[in-house]
Amino acid sequence: MSSHSLQSVERMQNPVRAQRQPQQKPFLRRLLAIASPSQRSWHGGLKLRGYKQLSNATPVALVEVGTAQLAIPLERGRRSVEPCVQPGQHVRKGEVIGIGDDNTPWVHASTSGIVERIDLAFAADSAEPVMAVILNADGLDEWIERPVLELPQTPEALVERALQMGIVGLGGAGFPTGLKLAGAQQPDLLLINGAECEPFLTCDDRLMRERAEALIEVADYLAALMGVTLTRFGIETNKPEAMAALRAAARHARTPVEICALPERYPAGGQPLMIKSLSGRNLAPGSLPAEIGVLALNVATLYALGRAVFHGEPLVRRVLTLTGDCERPGNVLVPVGYPVSELREIAGATSEGQLTQVGGPMMGLPLPDPAAVISKTSSCLIFGAERYLPEPQPAGSCIRCTRCVDVCPMSLRPLDLYDAAQRLDKVSLQDLRLDACIECGSCSSSCPSNIPLRETFRQSKTELRA
């Protein structure tokens, strides 16, 4: 692991503010309804041990690719791109290697090297293998020549830039950022999600501490371009350094961007809950934030969008947390497609026989294969996770204690939903608002009978869609 910090690796010169401020749209904006604190609160949730101190004390470090073999995924969920490179072809960092339809983000080479083949590979956060470009790095990490691009002056131009630069949501969902921007019709509120409420994860925390000025710059640009009247960052109170850095950057930029505290309560970063906390607006099940005048982005997504807009840099690397049972925990700037096995050595983790959790303990998954690689949406690796996570226990019968009801942040009745799922009662599942479940796992974690509530609801959603 190189000692270079993220700030020294990615110097972002602030563009002249006057050169990037588009004209405000001439029509009248509706006034924001600023909710009282009681209207912003939400039900339930869990107070979890954070384990943040394991990895948040040191700056983000650069992972040097060397001559590693990368497997750069061409698929994410139902979306995939067609490779536009051939085996034996030399590519440079940032070069386009996969193009899809007009609604699919492009895929780019994460370093320079020779394409060996197009083949199946496991992404760290994918249960099934996906098609990938297998690239043998040449050790030069040579960027493609990046022409000076004009700053997008319309939302449509920004949408195109985001898709061509491969920007997706980095909070975990991986939804194309260009499509989210395209669907944001006349938003009046820009919300930046820096909650990072999952235990162990600190990649967003370090990014906010080290790149606060860049985040404020791109937030200002985006708000002006989209005609937004108010911008708020939401951050859990267990990240005081990140909040202080962003507030200082906002003061220096003389911007009205607000840095707001979110409750230190899981899942404060869930999109409906974050919107409720920061605006008082309710996001109905099945609806999009755009329908209530909100544009919501994860803080890492915002940063990647800024790199694409101001520097013409595609999304080829991300900040990733290495934590758990390892000698050198911390956060690293890692190329997409980089092997987890190499990161294990960088972190000084113990034998591969131990459990590696990808993502947080609540919504993450076990590493699907030892040869898996980092994808755009891989946020954390918890090595030796069995040391920290409770051992799975056999499920018992529901004792109607209603603890799951008490903790559900969406005010659902998980015990009744589970009963309906067991009976395959689709009508009751719809009446009980299964579609409102955000799959946070609070119910499963608090169930004394160890009933796999979240997994059951996830399966039931799939069946209902089918």
Side-chain angles (χ1 to χ4, degrees), residues 392-410:
Q393 299 293 325
S397 301
C398 177
I399 60 174
R400 311 296 289 182
C401 67
T402 69
R403 290 186 191 178
C404 58
V405 178
D406 294 338
V407 301
C408 177
M410 300 305 293

Side-chain angles (χ1 to χ4, degrees), residues 16-30:
V16 178
R17 188 177 300 272
Q19 293 179 345
R20 61 167 178 77
Q21 290 280 7
Q23 292 292 323
Q24 288 284 349
K25 297 177 181 178
F27 50 83
L28 183 64
R29 293 287 177 189
R30 64 186 180 274

Side-chain angles (χ1 to χ4, degrees), residues 362-382:
M362 298 300 291
M363 299 187 74
L365 298 168
L367 186 73
D369 188 272
V373 299
I374 297 304
S375 75
K376 292 180 180 180
T377 51
S378 305
S379 58
C380 179
L381 295 174
I382 307 174

Side-chain angles (χ1 to χ4, degrees), residues 46 48 198 266-267 357-366 389 404 414-415 417-418 421 434 437-447 450-462:
L46 297 171
L48 301 173
E198 275 263 23
Y266 178 84
Q357 179 85 350
V358 183
M362 298 300 291
M363 299 187 74
L365 298 168
L389 307 184
C404 58
L415 73 172
L417 280 166
Y418 181 75
L434 175 64
C437 173
I438 60 174
E439 302 178 20
C440 66
S442 296
C443 54
S444 298
S445 297
S446 58
C447 178
N450 305 304
I451 298 173
L453 296 168
R454 181 183 62 182
E455 289 71 19
T456 300
F457 301 154
R458 185 176 291 169
Q459 179 62 32
S460 295
K461 283 184 179 182
T462 301

